[in-house]
């Protein structure tokens, strides 16, 4: 089995440079923007899109079920949507909530918001009830654009969280009829420092946090990942089945498309069985991924469409090293642009040089440091952080400077919690990624694990306290501690919750599952429930949580464990083949 490289050498870099030689002219166009990008410069996503529409009005920009719309056509629609938003008072700095599954209207509304210098508040349509209410309170939007296919999420929202203006797609189209198709005048005046997106990420509070992305930071992805690493051609089409509320889609994928004036083909949602058919229908030559997507594709039976497509490169994060070669060999992928980043993180690593089974390279300053059991940086006797030796796993922290600022979250207090001050000397500042990585040379890293109170499952960050709160709503449960556990053959960590009972009665396994599905996004519903006699609630509680995480579902002694069979069956007693069923995508259903 192939393993993660332990070292990246000069030969690896040289091979990568040779392979990128045909793309050097395009790279040369983008490279200066990586070095001289200024937040004060009049530059924005809307300007880039408008310029492409002016230069290449007939070139395809957006494809949906195989049908194409041109840059010019889409730009005119975007401008009409912008006029509708302007009539409803949207101006620079305002927030427009967007609640939608992937479709052309979703993407064009996003561009309309950005052209006005407003902020696109990208709501996660899996959220329900108190969680989506919390997200709406963070947005503080005056306008909400909603997809009728997200009615379940919208209907669970408290009426007091509704903004002044709510438009579903039909109402938006009706209002846009006959509006001006000219570019909004404000677009050309926007500096790169203008805020562009609020993208929700789970945090240790148990409720979502809205990470802030400025046009300037989006432009760093546009240049660094799109222009220098992905390097699409104008004739390329990137297929995106990941939700547009994800940075992977709205930043990395859209950035790569606009960096070359290529086409974006949208899929409403990912389907493992239909994936290659959709790729072929949309004539895609590239697609974006998360690790789970790749694993689900490998789990599908082999069929002719595995190689009947035209995809030559893929971009994403989480492709596990142990399936990397199998994936590219089976599906005939020429190049994998793996990257590492986070919505709130002020740097990103990207596989520019094509080194297999790594998350790639970053030219910006970072450190790997020792950490404690809670995922916090550990300080020595003098109060400074301790760097780990090269090749050893360490907590990744990114230096904060005028050149590499942090956009952070909407809540400055939450941002401050992630900043490590006086790390190596008085006055310095670093952003705590919360992730464990390994430095393997030439500014390349490999991902090791996610630390702290969140874990990743199905490509989403899961907040343990959110899961604990949902489990605690059951009257039979006295206490709950949630954490992520490794399942062989799976990306990320699956949810597990250890519970104590309020009395002699156990929760009903089906009703417990129903309650958790109703309160949490599907990816956050724990796969394992462990019954324990007690949970520590003293100052050592977090250490006990680490012990539970280390014990997982295999080292539980005489404790009873339930597993999630699916929505229909709820929880059932643990059985030996369950981890293999999860890895094979047979459970939960």
């Amino acid at each position: 089995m192939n393993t993660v490289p332990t070292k990246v050498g000069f030969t690896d870099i040289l091979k990568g440079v040779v392979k990128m030689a045909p793309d050097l002219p395009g790279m040369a166009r983008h490279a200066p923007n990586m070095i001289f990008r200024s937040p004060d410069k009049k530059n924005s996503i809307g300007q880039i899109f408008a310029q492409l529409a002016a230069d290449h009005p007939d070139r395809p920009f957006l494809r949906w079920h195989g049908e194409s719309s041109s840059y010019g056509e889409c730009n005119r629609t975007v401008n009409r949507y912008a006029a509708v938003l302007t009539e409803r008072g949207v101006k620079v700095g305002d927030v427009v909530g967007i609640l939608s599954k992937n479709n052309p209207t979703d993407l064009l509304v996003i561009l309309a918001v950005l052209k006005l210098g407003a902020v696109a508040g990208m709501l996660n349509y899996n959220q329900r009830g108190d969680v989506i209410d919390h997200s709406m309170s963070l947005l503080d939007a005056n306008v909400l654009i909603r997809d009728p296919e997200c009615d379940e999420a919208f209907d669970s929202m408290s009426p007091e969280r509704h903004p002044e203006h709510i438009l579903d797609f039909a109402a938006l189209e009706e209002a846009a009829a006959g509006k001006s198709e000219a570019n909004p005048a404000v677009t050309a005046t926007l500096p790169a420092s203008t805020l562009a997106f609020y993208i929700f990420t789970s945090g240790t509070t148990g409720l979502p946090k809205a990470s802030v992305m400025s046009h300037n930071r989006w432009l760093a992805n546009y240049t660094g990942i799109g222009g220098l690493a992905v390097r699409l051609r104008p004739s390329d089409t990137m297929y995106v089945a990941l939700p547009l509320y994800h940075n992977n889609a709205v930043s990395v994928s859209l950035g790569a498309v606009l960096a070359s004036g290529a086409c974006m083909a949208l899929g409403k949602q990912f389907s493992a069985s239909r994936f290659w058919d959709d790729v072929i229908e949309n004539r895609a030559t590239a697609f974006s991924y998360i690790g789970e997507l790749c694993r689900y594709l490998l789990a599908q039976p082999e069929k002719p469409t595995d190689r009947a497509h035209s995809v030559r490169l893929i971009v994403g994060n989480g492709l596990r090293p142990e399936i990397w070669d199998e994936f590219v060999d089976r599906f005939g992928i020429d190049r994998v642009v793996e990257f590492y980043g986070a919505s709130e993180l002020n740097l990103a690593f990207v596989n520019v040089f094509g080194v297999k089974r790594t998350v790639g390279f970053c030219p910006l300053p970072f450190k790997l440091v020792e950490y404690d059991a809670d995922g916090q940086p550990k300080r020595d006797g003098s109060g400074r952080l301790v760097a780990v030796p090269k090749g050893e796993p360490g907590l990744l922290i990114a230096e904060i400077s005028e050149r590499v600022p942090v956009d952070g979250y909407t809540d400055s207090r939450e941002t401050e919690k992630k900043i490590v001050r006086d790390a190596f000397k008085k006055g310095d500042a670093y952003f705590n990624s919360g992730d464990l990585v390994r430095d393997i040379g030439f500014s390349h890293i490999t991902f090791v694990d996610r630390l702290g109170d969140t874990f990743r499952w199905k490509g989403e960050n899961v907040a343990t306290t959110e899961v604990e709160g949902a489990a605690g709503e059951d009257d039979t449960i006295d206490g709950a501690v949630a954490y992520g556990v490794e399942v062989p053959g799976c990306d990320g960590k699956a949810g597990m919750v250890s519970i104590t009972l309020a009395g002699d009665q156990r929760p009903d396994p089906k009703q417990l599952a129903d309650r958790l599905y109703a309160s949490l996004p599907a990816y956050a519903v724990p796969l394992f429930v462990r019954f324990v006699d007690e949970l520590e609630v003293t100052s050592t509680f977090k250490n006990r949580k680490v012990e539970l995480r280390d014990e997982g579902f295999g080292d539980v002694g005489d404790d009873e464990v339930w597993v999630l069979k699916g929505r229909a069956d709820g929880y059932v007693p643990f059985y030996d083949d369950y981890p293999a069923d999860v890895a094979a995508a047979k459970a939960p259903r």
Side-chain angles (χ1 to χ4, degrees), residues 17-67:
V17 171
V18 170
K19 284 186 177 180
M20 68 174 67
D23 300 325
L24 288 176
M27 296 175 69
R29 179 168 58 88
H30 283 283
N33 293 327
M34 198 66 191
I35 301 169
F36 302 113
R37 194 180 71 256
S38 168
D40 299 323
K41 183 180 179 182
K42 300 294 191 293
N43 195 14
S44 68
I45 303 163
Q47 280 184 268
I48 290 169
F49 180 69
Q51 190 61 55
L52 284 167
D55 293 343
H56 310 286
D58 298 324
R59 183 184 291 175
F61 165 65
L62 182 55
R63 193 164 291 143
W64 177 249
H65 296 305
E67 297 295 322

Side-chain angles (χ1 to χ4, degrees), residues 67 115 218 228 285 295 343 354 370 455 487 532:
E67 297 295 322
K115 277 198 172 193
W218 186 95
L228 300 179
T285 54
R295 188 173 66 82
S343 299
E370 293 183 2
F455 58 92
V487 178
V532 296

Side-chain angles (χ1 to χ4, degrees), residues 116 175 180 184 254 263 270 336 343 345 353 355 362 410 447 484 518 578:
L116 296 175
S180 171
L254 179 61
C263 180
F270 170 69
V336 178
S343 299
L345 193 60
F353 299 102
V355 182
C362 179
T410 54
F447 181 80
Y578 183 75

Side-chain angles (χ1 to χ4, degrees), residues 301-361:
E302 293 190 15
K303 48 189 176 182
T305 49
D306 288 355
R307 286 276 189 147
H309 56 82
S310 301
V311 171
R312 59 185 180 84
L313 71 91
I314 60 177
V315 56
N317 61 304
L319 179 56
R320 292 175 66 91
E322 61 265 31
I323 69 169
W324 186 299
D325 289 346
E326 181 185 0
F327 188 86
V328 298
D329 290 344
R330 174 174 166 179
F331 299 113
I333 307 299
D334 181 58
R335 193 155 60 88
V336 178
V337 187
E338 175 83 3
F339 72 89
Y340 163 85
S343 299
E344 64 274 29
L345 193 60
N346 58 331
L347 54 68
F349 290 78
V350 62
N351 200 9
V352 177
F353 299 102
V355 182
K356 288 185 177 182
R357 300 180 294 283
T358 81
V359 301
F361 161 87

Side-chain angles (χ1 to χ4, degrees), residues 38 88 104 115 139 186 267 286 348 366 373 383-384 410 421 487 579:
S38 168
R88 280 148 184 80
K115 277 198 172 193
L139 292 186
V186 70
F366 65 91
R384 303 304 186 204
T410 54
R421 300 194 182 276
V487 178

Side-chain angles (χ1 to χ4, degrees), residues 537-581:
V537 293
T538 64
S539 60
T540 61
F541 173 76
K542 288 189 176 181
N543 288 332
R544 176 56 182 152
K545 188 170 184 174
V546 172
E547 293 171 20
L548 289 168
R549 188 169 58 215
D550 291 343
E551 290 166 359
F553 52 83
D555 184 19
V556 297
D558 295 328
D559 292 346
E560 183 179 2
V561 175
W562 289 354
V563 294
L564 184 64
K565 192 72 174 175
R567 287 183 184 269
D569 298 315
Y571 287 101
V572 300
F574 179 88
Y575 56 94
D576 290 341
D577 289 338
Y578 183 75
D581 285 349

Side-chain angles (χ1 to χ4, degrees), residues 400 406 414-421 429-432:
I400 301 169
V406 164
E414 293 294 339
T415 302
E416 187 60 32
K417 289 178 184 178
K418 299 283 285 185
I419 296 176
V420 183
R421 300 194 182 276
Y430 286 78
F431 194 85
N432 181 359

